[in-house]
Amino acid sequence: MHSWVRLLVLAGLSLVLAGSSCDEDEAVTLEQLRQDVAPPFDYSLYCDEQGRLRAKGSDVLLVHRSAHLEQVYADSQRGDARARTLFGQLETQVSATGGPLADQALGLVCTSLPACTVSWSFLDELIPSREAGGMRLRHVLAQSFERAARLKGVQNAVLASVLSILMMGSVLDSAAGAGVRPGATELGGTAARVAELRAALPSAQQGRITMGVGLAEDASGAQRMLIGTSEPRGYLRPGVLLKSGETLAPGLGHAEADIVNFTQQYGLRLLEVGATRPICPSCAAAIEEAGAVPVTPLKVP
């Protein structure tokens, strides 16, 4: 099993891990990642000229170094062959992790969601980035884990806690004594955020791409700002960035529908939704069925 995969699956048990061909002195620990100071970015730190991972543990470091990961992801979205090969390897490894992670969860019993969430909080540290690249890896892992966990019969509370951490971070930080994270109301209103995203889109794409913004509430009562896009799998155009505390809601449909689906999948209560283009009738219906309110103009049929 690859070093990053093993670290992701077993870090919660505080084990020292290495890849299948690594010696003990090449092992990687979560504590070492916490102390890591990233050097200036260079592809040679992680891969060869073709984008193939080179040094043992280089994948672990790349995923943990948020700025470097986002650079690779942004380059891959621009079509850089080396970056696409490198990021593709990370996606493959992350997807393969779902089964072993589900095995770790199998048989665990949680009496409450807070207890489960705290016990799996190490996952939030291993993929620390909240921008497009990090959220892409979290989404891949969440999908892989959920498929495997449901097949194996993992307890719903355990499954929900892992998914909530992967896609939103610990939604119950206050239960762990860390205090409630800033809510969406502190980040600015939904309609105001829609206007910011519209302005951030390249002018040539403003009439073609739809960005959506959803205000939702989690189980602890904290508000969350969700960002959706009509582009596949949550791709964000250069210059379109998530703010601190925002969560990407990736998907393959309309931006507004992706937000609705995301809240249903992760047990959030949707409050309101806005979009950079008029909201189509089907999305407006989905928003209203979810008990939320459209806060930007609707498309006239």
Side-chain angles (χ1 to χ4, degrees):
M1 190 183 295
H2 201 281
S3 57
W4 187 83
V5 175
R6 296 184 67 189
L7 179 63
L8 181 58
V9 173
L10 299 173
L13 304 179
S14 299
L15 296 179
V16 176
L17 306 166
S20 56
S21 61
C22 294
D23 297 324
E24 289 188 5
D25 61 351
E26 295 175 304
V28 180
T29 68
L30 187 56
E31 186 59 35
Q32 288 174 325
L33 290 182
R34 289 168 178 162
Q35 297 175 3
D36 176 64
V37 178
F41 175 77
D42 193 287
Y43 275 98
S44 63
L45 293 168
Y46 310 107
C47 65
D48 61 19
E49 291 297 324
Q50 285 70 48
R52 297 186 295 262
L53 287 162
R54 57 193 325 170
K56 293 181 176 67
S58 60
D59 53 343
V60 179
L61 293 172
L62 176 55
V63 171
H64 190 72
R65 294 167 176 169
S66 297
H68 291 195
L69 177 67
E70 295 306 325
Q71 178 68 59
V72 172
Y73 182 73
D75 289 347
S76 73
Q77 294 299 305
R78 286 192 287 267
D80 183 89
R82 187 183 192 185
R84 293 181 68 175
T85 298
L86 178 55
F87 198 86
Q89 290 172 88
L90 297 181
E91 289 183 310
T92 299
Q93 293 166 14
V94 166
S95 181
T97 306
L101 187 60
D103 287 336
Q104 290 293 321
L106 186 62
L108 294 180
V109 177
C110 289
T111 56
S112 67
L113 186 59
C116 270
T117 303
V118 172
S119 68
W120 289 96
S121 60
F122 70 90
L123 292 171
D124 205 29
E125 292 189 70
L126 294 175
I127 312 179
S129 175
R130 290 302 180 147
E131 297 183 37
M135 292 307 297
R136 171 60 185 163
L137 293 183
R138 285 169 176 260
H139 184 64
V140 169
L141 178 55
Q143 286 187 317
S144 176
F145 168 76
E146 183 176 17
R147 285 194 299 267
R150 292 194 185 281
L151 288 174
K152 295 173 185 292
V154 171
Q155 186 195 18
N156 285 339
V158 178
L159 191 152
S161 68
V162 175
L163 292 178
S164 67
I165 288 172
L166 286 173
M167 298 312 298
M168 293 172 286
S170 175
V171 298
L172 296 164
D173 282 341
S174 58
V180 178
R181 291 183 179 182
T185 53
E186 297 178 35
L187 301 175
T190 304
R193 184 63 176 125
V194 167
E196 292 177 351
L197 290 171
R198 184 186 298 111
L201 284 170
S203 57
Q205 276 80 47
Q206 288 183 2
R208 185 175 64 84
I209 296 170
T210 301
M211 298 293 299
V213 179
L215 179 62
E217 188 175 80
D218 64 29
S220 69
Q223 291 185 341
R224 304 276 165 170
M225 191 74 89
L226 308 177
I227 306 298
T229 174
S230 60
E231 300 209 81
R233 295 176 293 278
Y235 170 63
L236 298 178
R237 293 277 167 169
V240 179
L241 302 174
L242 297 182
K243 290 185 176 181
S244 176
E246 292 182 339
T247 299
L248 186 66
L252 296 172
H254 291 191
E256 307 94 308
D258 287 344
I259 290 172
V260 172
N261 292 337
F262 186 93
T263 59
Q264 293 173 345
Q265 184 176 4
Y266 297 107
L268 300 174
R269 185 168 73 91
L270 190 60
L271 304 176
E272 56 187 39
V273 177
T276 58
R277 299 169 68 197
I279 300 173
C280 71
S282 63
C283 285
I287 292 167
E288 292 177 1
E289 287 175 8
V293 178
V295 296
T296 54
L298 304 181
K299 184 176 182 179
V300 178

